[in-house]
Amino acid sequence: MRRLHSFNGGAHPAEHKAESTARPIAAAPLVPLYVVPLRQHIGTPALPLVRAGDRVLRGQAIGQAEGYVSASVHAPTSGRVVAVEMRPVAHPSGLADLCVVIEADGEDRAIDLQPLDWRGMEPSHLRNLIRDLGLVGLGGAVFPSFIKLNPGEAGRVETLILNGAECEPWITSDDLLMRERAREILKGAEIMQAMLHAGEVVIGIEDNKPEAIAAMQAAVREMGLGYEVAVVPTRYPSGGAKQLTYLLTGRETPSRGHAVEVGVQVFNVGTAYGLHHALAEGRPLISRVVTVTGHVASPQNFEVRLGTPIEDLIRAAGGELEGATGEIIGGPMMGFDLQDRAAPVTKAVNCVIVKDAQRFPPPPAPRACIRCGECARACPARLQPFELYWYARARDFGKTQLFSLFDCIECGCCSHVCPSHISLVDFFRYAKSEIWAREREKEAADAARRRHEFHVWRLEREKQEKAERLARKAVAQVKEAEAAPVDAEAARKKAILQAAIERAKQAREGVTPRNVDHLTPEQQHQVEEADARRARLHAGAEDQKETENQP
Amino acid sequence: MAAGGLTLGAVLGWASVRYRVQEDPLVEKIDAILPQTQCGQCGFAGCKPYAEAIAKGEADINRCPPGGEDGIRRLADLLGVEAKSLGEGLEHKPKSVAVIDEDLCIGCTLCIQACPVDAIVGAAKQMHTIVADRCTGCELCLPPCPVECIHMEVIHEDITTWKWRYPVYSIRPVRE
Amino acid sequence: MTGAPFSLGPRNSTPRVMLKVLAALVPGIVAHYWFFGPGIVVSLLLTSLAAVGFEAFVLLMRNQPVRLHLTDGSALVTAWLLALSLPTLAPWWLYVAGSFFAIVVAKHLYGGLGQNVFNPAMVGYAALIVSFPLYMTQWPAPLELAVHAPGWADAFDLVFAGQGALSPDAYTSATPLDSLKTQILAGRTVEAVLGQPIYGLLGGVGGEWVALAFLAGGAALLAMRLTTWHIPLAFLAAVALSAGALHLIDPARHAGPLFHLMTGGVMLGAFFIATDPVTASTTPLGKLVYAGGAGLLTVVIRTWGGFPDGVAFAVLLMNMCVPFIDDYTQPRVFGKTARLRRRAP
């Protein structure tokens, strides 16, 4: 048995997992219209590869990874592209983003999929393939997987962790995936292990998922793998990558660093599943498992094509019940309110919770902070949330950074336990985005200052140059006047020099294209005419310049 | 008594040398707060001259509309004075960029000469265009244009620039 | 806009926290009633009314939502702590003045609940003891030792009608702390003094049982996780260790640790006053430093200071140091190698 290392704080929110585990994963039905955002991952959005009117097949790339931190995007079904335009997406802001809108033709024809022999492949080539297959972390952070599959300078990682903790209440997509498709997850893990040269592979699962634990243990045994299924106590947020890493290895991921720096790499079980299918079948990431739960007729997990509008997905779960009050995307601890139900499922969407007034009542009016410290005792990052709150509320952003604002993982434990019902995390999100905005503004201002300084310097230089030119001209005139009394010697030298210049000039002009050596008089005439025209034009342009330069 | 005084004086003198605060010149600090639009709405030829005027005490801190209330507050913090509202006749506008109507542009280069941050590219008799990333929204290119082909467009926030709002929750009764 | 989390935690809330604190004070109040008569009930009622009244008044003046803030119960907690620190059977205006200093001056002039630097009840107490030292030293004697045990009628008479109703000598006596101090100054030894009947078994007749009842209430607070062990333990340990050290040095002039723990405001202070989260240090290490300092200062003031008890001033002095202590005791953030040191950004 592995010795577990307990992290600070955490919380025990009501689980509500049973609602959606009663039914198996179902394939969500095909819908007439898919809206596929080109930004479904952290980093630069994919570049659109299609235009309105193009026909696409299932699995065809419609967006190409752009820059390093990016991943490709693929058509979820066959059909016709009706638009590449801004559409509302699942984002806390409710703002629109660039999407490829595909009208399905109902045939669902796929491109020619080829299994990839990844074992013999050159690592960087394999990673590029994984990027082009659109693989990103499916736990919610959607970081492009190919970057994390690089063992880096060390050449290997010690521990590969498969994250099946799924600590957020209500969500069961990983749970069901592990119960039903354990072997495929492990095959994905084998690929990861080989790419990272991982010494050991540990699968972390919270102890409230006995079926998933049993299924994974059985699959590990059957496949003869030396992987360990580590059962961790149910305590939110044990599924956070940093928390799970600490739980299983006792190593703290450095502040603002990555797990790989302490020899650990963490992937969600869904990512491993997707990686297996991507390489074994050559199938790009065009679907994922999504939990639809809460106030719907039949809560269930669905394998959903990316781009499916969320309202269609809710319909697949029997539709919302009377008295629904909105939807949460993600879990109740870290998710966000959906602003527009037409927004599509993306790689980041692991759960849709339909709210009702009884289970998701409006938050009570906040009272004054009494510095009771409950939040600090609950904070897995060992922050002092009430201090941060104090400074964030006063917009003292320097102090918030000093109190390690950016080590906050926004898990929501502090707000969850606050007896005064203060929405602490809202303040932290506000402070973070404000600081980022100010950094952007500062960069823009600095760039503007540099360009303005250059502008001023350039004007100054031009003025100076003009002055110098004039001065030189004046001096030259004066000199000429002075030189008027003929100095025979100087005049002779000058004449020689002048003659040399003349000769050089003539020599330059004398070089004529070879094809004009033996011209007929007619041709000669044409050439002369053209030269004359050119000269006229040239003179004209000069004149124009003169007029323009006049103030 | 005298010896004590001398000792204390020596200690203080040493401390003042040892712990002297190495401060950036004030002008640089003020200039760092100003938004660098170089728009001249403050009545000075740019942000730096305005910063110099503030440092000398010749200009008030509330003359910069692009900096807005926030900028005034930060200047007030820096200078240890009371923040105030934006000066008479000045108005804070949402951040915008200038856009040239390329069908109308006659290529006169007047806007290029007016742009304080070299954000406009083009040559004589050639259509001009504004590099949106570089434009500070100062509006200095608007008046010189003989055909009025430049207008300002407000920058709307997108997903990458969207900010979480300040959490407002308590509804306080406002006394009439 | 309100974002995640959408799930609210265990059913606790600030009013509930305050209510539990009040409940934990009840054993001490009952013991007080039992040993010192009904005066405590009168003073509790009076300070409660005055505190809530002042709270409502100031909230109105500050244009704050009165109902929301009044229902948090913090004014009642302050009132009860103040009443339990003051002598009973004092004139009514003393309680009203104390409540005024606690609620209006110490709490609302600093910005209201959560923003006050000093413990409001202790500010009320300190203001009264420097302003009206005479009334603040007239403590009713334990019923069993009093010449005349005051009943309900006497209590109301004394509080509202003035002191003429009963001669102070009839119902008051010097507190154990007070009389020990004066007798030691007069040249007696601790051993000789503690043999007198007023000193009871552990520290003082009645008072020792009240202290034990507060200890029981404090244990309940810990059990309900309303406070952590750091402050009470550090406070009591500092009192016991410093008193013990003095006692070892000179047993004739300094009483032992048990006497110090069981007299005056030590038990109340350790569990209910020093633990006030608003004014106490908030980091685990900081709490130890803060409460340890308060315990040490308590004994120092008792031994060398001008006042018989030192809890109030010790707590107030340490309140002053809290921002400084917190600065230097920030816990190490997950993934960082060093503790936070607050510097100018």
Side-chain angles (χ1 to χ4, degrees):
Chain A
M1 269 316 274
R2 176 172 290 268
R3 195 172 82 82
L4 296 179
H5 305 260
S6 186
F7 57 86
N8 184 60
H12 295 276
E15 289 177 17
H16 291 291
K17 300 257 189 192
E19 280 91 334
S20 53
T21 51
R23 299 178 181 81
I25 300 174
L30 284 182
V31 293
L33 200 71
Y34 288 88
V35 181
V36 190
L38 289 161
R39 189 200 308 272
Q40 294 196 44
H41 46 260
I42 298 260
T44 323
L47 274 188
L49 293 173
V50 290
R51 272 183 302 188
D54 287 357
R55 297 218 144 263
V56 291
L57 296 173
R58 167 158 56 88
Q60 181 183 334
I62 54 176
Q64 172 64 43
E66 165 74 359
Y68 182 59
V69 185
S70 187
S72 294
V73 173
H74 303 82
T77 186
S78 62
R80 194 171 60 88
V81 176
V82 290
V84 180
E85 62 181 15
M86 302 296 276
R87 288 277 183 127
V89 293
H91 188 266
S93 66
L95 288 171
D97 205 8
L98 193 60
C99 299
V100 175
V101 185
I102 299 171
E103 193 181 61
D105 58 15
E107 293 170 25
D108 200 26
R109 275 175 301 133
I111 50 164
D112 191 18
L113 298 176
Q114 292 293 336
L116 298 163
D117 178 25
W118 58 271
R119 280 180 200 276
M121 249 177 231
E122 201 265 318
S124 72
H125 178 61
L126 178 56
R127 285 197 293 271
N128 286 344
L129 269 177
I130 290 170
R131 181 193 63 195
D132 294 341
L133 288 166
L135 256 292
V136 299
L138 296 183
V142 286
F143 190 79
S145 298
F146 80 97
I147 300 173
K148 281 169 74 181
L149 284 168
N150 188 341
E153 277 170 27
R156 62 186 291 276
V157 301
E158 278 172 56
T159 309
L160 167 65
I161 294 175
L162 279 200
N163 187 346
E166 199 164 54
C167 56
E168 271 257 17
W170 293 95
I171 310 178
T172 57
S173 57
D174 290 347
D175 186 1
L176 269 283
L177 195 71
M178 288 188 286
R179 289 190 201 187
E180 298 181 13
R181 304 173 191 183
R183 294 181 67 96
E184 287 147 287
I185 294 170
L186 292 177
K187 281 179 184 164
E190 281 186 287
I191 304 171
M192 291 171 169
Q193 185 190 17
M195 290 183 76
L196 292 169
H197 305 287
E200 59 169 354
V201 180
V202 187
I203 303 146
I205 309 175
E206 273 192 351
D207 59 11
N208 60 354
K209 297 181 243 318
E211 294 93 339
I213 295 165
M216 292 299 279
Q217 278 168 338
V220 167
R221 239 184 349 262
E222 282 164 25
M223 291 169 69
L225 297 168
Y227 299 173
E228 182 188 346
V229 176
V231 180
V232 301
T234 299
R235 176 155 58 117
Y236 180 85
S238 64
K242 290 180 176 186
Q243 279 64 43
L244 190 63
T245 303
Y246 185 73
L247 261 172
L248 296 178
T249 66
R251 294 179 196 175
E252 288 188 17
T253 309
S255 163
R256 307 187 84 166
H258 301 289
V260 72
E261 289 164 41
V262 288
V264 178
Q265 197 57 284
V266 188
F267 288 95
N268 179 264
V269 287
T271 313
Y273 174 81
L275 181 63
H276 162 67
H277 280 285
L279 297 186
E281 298 160 26
R283 186 178 89 188
L285 186 69
I286 55 164
S287 67
R288 64 158 299 147
V289 179
V290 182
T291 309
V292 187
T293 183
H295 205 50
V296 291
S298 50
Q300 191 173 2
N301 280 281
F302 292 95
E303 175 136 21
V304 188
R305 303 281 174 96
L306 303 172
T308 305
I310 287 165
E311 53 193 352
D312 291 325
L313 183 60
I314 293 173
R315 213 168 292 133
E320 60 180 36
L321 299 173
E322 187 79 20
T325 54
E327 299 83 20
I328 298 172
I329 299 301
M333 295 298 283
M334 292 187 75
F336 56 88
D337 269 317
L338 182 66
Q339 313 271 334
D340 189 334
R341 288 154 51 104
V345 170
T346 62
K347 294 170 186 177
V349 175
N350 53 3
C351 183
V352 178
I353 306 173
V354 177
K355 296 197 286 186
D356 60 303
Q358 195 213 330
R359 283 176 291 190
F360 295 94
R367 296 174 182 274
C369 170
I370 52 168
R371 294 164 57 88
C372 66
E374 279 295 325
C375 50
R377 285 195 282 285
C379 181
R382 248 186 269 121
L383 301 173
Q384 300 278 303
F386 56 91
E387 299 269 18
L388 278 171
Y389 158 71
W390 181 273
Y391 293 119
R393 204 180 60 155
R395 298 182 170 87
D396 189 342
F397 299 121
K399 280 279 167 58
T400 60
Q401 278 171 282
L402 209 61
F403 276 85
S404 307
L405 174 67
F406 284 98
D407 285 287
C408 167
I409 55 170
E410 298 175 30
C411 64
C413 286
C414 50
S415 299
H416 181 77
V417 300
C418 178
S420 288
H421 306 303
I422 299 167
S423 50
L424 292 144
V425 199
D426 280 339
F427 280 94
F428 305 155
R429 282 188 284 250
Y430 156 74
K432 283 183 184 177
S433 65
E434 202 62 37
I435 291 168
W436 284 323
R438 286 192 179 186
E439 257 162 37
R440 280 196 302 271
E441 268 166 31
K442 176 130 184 54
E443 268 166 35
D446 286 344
R449 183 187 296 112
R450 280 196 302 275
R451 284 198 306 276
H452 179 64
E453 277 165 6
F454 176 75
H455 176 85
V456 170
W457 175 81
R458 184 171 57 83
L459 291 186
E460 195 58 37
R461 188 192 64 187
E462 278 168 9
K463 214 162 78 188
Q464 209 173 337
E465 278 172 357
K466 198 168 179 187
E468 273 170 17
R469 228 172 20 243
L470 288 175
R472 264 205 305 279
K473 222 173 186 176
V475 169
Q477 276 166 355
V478 170
K479 268 205 179 135
E480 226 165 87
E482 276 174 356
V486 181
D487 179 337
E489 183 60 10
R492 198 179 62 84
K493 273 187 179 162
K494 197 177 173 188
I496 291 169
L497 197 68
Q498 195 62 35
I501 291 169
E502 283 298 310
R503 266 203 309 282
K505 206 170 164 187
Q506 269 167 8
R508 267 203 306 279
E509 283 173 357
V511 176
T512 42
R514 212 181 290 165
N515 61 353
V516 295
D517 277 358
H518 309 284
L519 294 175
T520 61
E522 217 170 308
Q523 283 170 324
Q524 187 67 44
H525 181 69
Q526 276 175 348
V527 169
E528 273 162 16
E529 258 183 85
D531 281 346
R533 266 205 306 278
R534 202 176 291 138
R536 259 205 314 281
L537 273 176
H538 190 66
E542 285 290 331
D543 285 349
Q544 198 139 25
K545 233 183 199 165
E546 287 298 322
T547 44
E548 260 172 23
N549 282 346
Q550 272 155 21
Chain B
M1 200 58 183
L6 278 176
T7 320
L8 281 177
V11 169
L12 281 174
W14 172 81
S16 75
V17 174
R18 174 75 176 74
Y19 297 106
R20 196 208 311 272
V21 182
Q22 289 288 342
E23 246 181 341
D24 291 334
L26 187 58
V27 174
E28 300 287 321
K29 282 189 171 177
I30 297 171
D31 197 40
I33 293 172
L34 297 175
Q36 303 305 319
T37 44
Q38 318 292 352
C39 61
Q41 291 181 73
C42 50
F44 295 89
C47 296
K48 192 71 171 273
Y50 179 42
E52 282 161 359
I54 294 177
K56 282 191 211 139
E58 290 166 1
D60 216 339
I61 58 167
N62 64 347
R63 305 301 306 167
C64 177
E69 300 285 329
D70 191 45
I72 294 172
R73 203 172 50 76
R74 286 161 68 190
L75 283 175
D77 282 352
L78 174 68
L79 300 169
V81 297
E82 201 69 27
K84 44 177 90 174
S85 57
L86 207 53
E88 198 76 3
L90 299 171
E91 172 199 9
H92 178 71
K93 292 185 203 162
K95 190 160 164 44
S96 312
V97 286
V99 177
I100 292 179
D101 184 339
E102 300 180 343
D103 292 336
L104 293 180
C105 175
I106 54 168
C108 67
T109 75
L110 289 175
C111 58
I112 296 183
Q113 292 163 39
C115 180
V117 292
D118 294 343
I120 309 178
V121 291
K125 299 266 160 184
Q126 309 281 320
M127 188 264 294
H128 302 343
T129 193
I130 294 173
V131 184
D133 282 353
R134 292 184 165 196
C135 176
T136 63
C138 68
E139 303 191 3
L140 289 179
C141 52
L142 300 189
C145 180
V147 292
E148 296 194 351
C149 71
I150 311 180
H151 67 277
M152 303 303 292
E153 273 180 16
V154 174
I155 304 174
H156 293 285
E157 61 179 0
D158 64 19
I159 279 185
T160 54
T161 58
W162 177 79
K163 296 190 283 187
W164 282 88
R165 305 293 186 262
Y166 187 77
V168 181
Y169 44 76
S170 73
I171 301 158
R172 237 191 237 182
V174 176
R175 196 143 39 169
E176 293 295 313
Chain C
M1 170 196 300
T2 333
F6 300 94
S7 125
L8 279 183
R11 298 271 105 230
N12 73 339
S13 64
T14 305
R16 214 173 283 248
V17 169
M18 298 293 176
L19 214 64
K20 285 179 183 168
V21 173
L22 292 180
L25 282 170
V26 168
I29 294 168
V30 170
H32 204 287
Y33 174 81
W34 187 262
F35 289 102
F36 294 94
I40 186 66
V41 180
V42 180
S43 63
L44 272 175
L45 282 175
L46 199 49
T47 47
S48 299
L49 272 176
V52 171
F54 282 127
E55 175 101 347
F57 174 71
V58 182
L59 284 171
L60 269 175
M61 291 229 319
R62 292 181 59 209
N63 200 17
Q64 298 268 325
V66 176
R67 233 174 64 118
L68 180 74
H69 288 311
L70 211 54
T71 51
D72 64 25
S74 60
L76 270 186
V77 172
T78 300
W80 285 29
L81 292 176
L82 179 65
L84 287 168
S85 329
L86 298 180
T88 56
L89 303 178
W92 62 270
W93 52 262
L94 195 74
Y95 301 112
V96 175
S99 303
F100 174 83
F101 275 107
I103 299 290
V104 179
V105 178
K107 187 172 168 191
H108 280 288
L109 290 190
Y110 281 85
L113 179 62
Q115 318 224 34
N116 45 305
V117 180
F118 298 104
N119 188 308
M122 291 303 101
V123 169
Y125 173 89
L128 293 180
I129 203 168
V130 296
S131 312
F132 311 105
L134 176 67
Y135 293 112
M136 292 294 286
T137 44
Q138 288 183 349
W139 289 80
L143 295 179
E144 57 182 87
L145 297 178
V147 179
H148 170 89
W152 283 96
D154 295 321
F156 277 98
D157 270 0
L158 282 168
V159 172
F160 292 102
Q163 303 290 294
L166 207 61
S167 153
D169 293 341
Y171 68 94
T172 66
S173 69
T175 63
L177 274 173
D178 218 357
S179 78
L180 178 67
K181 195 165 190 166
T182 42
Q183 293 188 58
I184 285 174
L185 281 177
R188 301 208 183 160
T189 65
V190 169
E191 207 178 346
V193 176
L194 291 188
Q196 296 163 2
I198 187 183
Y199 291 97
L201 292 170
L202 303 167
V205 172
E208 59 203 21
W209 289 105
V210 175
L212 287 173
F214 282 135
L215 177 63
L221 275 190
L222 284 173
M224 288 187 284
R225 292 176 43 85
L226 287 176
T227 187
T228 58
W229 55 268
H230 303 78
I231 290 178
L233 188 77
F235 189 94
L236 295 177
V239 168
L241 287 176
S242 48
L246 287 174
H247 184 65
L248 281 180
I249 293 167
D250 188 354
R253 291 183 57 83
H254 301 291
L258 199 59
F259 175 82
H260 277 285
L261 289 176
M262 288 298 156
T263 48
V266 166
M267 279 298 164
L268 184 67
F271 287 98
F272 295 93
I273 290 168
T275 52
D276 167 27
V278 176
T279 54
S281 182
T282 48
T283 62
L285 183 61
K287 283 175 182 173
L288 297 178
V289 174
Y290 156 84
L296 180 69
L297 279 176
T298 300
V299 174
V300 167
I301 294 170
R302 281 181 175 188
T303 310
W304 292 290
F307 297 105
D309 201 355
V311 174
F313 288 102
V315 167
L316 290 174
L317 284 170
M318 290 315 288
N319 285 164
M320 265 183 227
C321 308
V322 159
F324 179 75
I325 296 171
D326 279 354
D327 268 8
Y328 284 88
T329 55
Q330 287 292 314
R332 186 180 63 80
V333 169
F334 184 92
K336 286 197 169 169
T337 44
R339 281 174 187 276
L340 171 141
R341 275 290 162 82
R342 202 190 293 190
R343 275 157 298 158

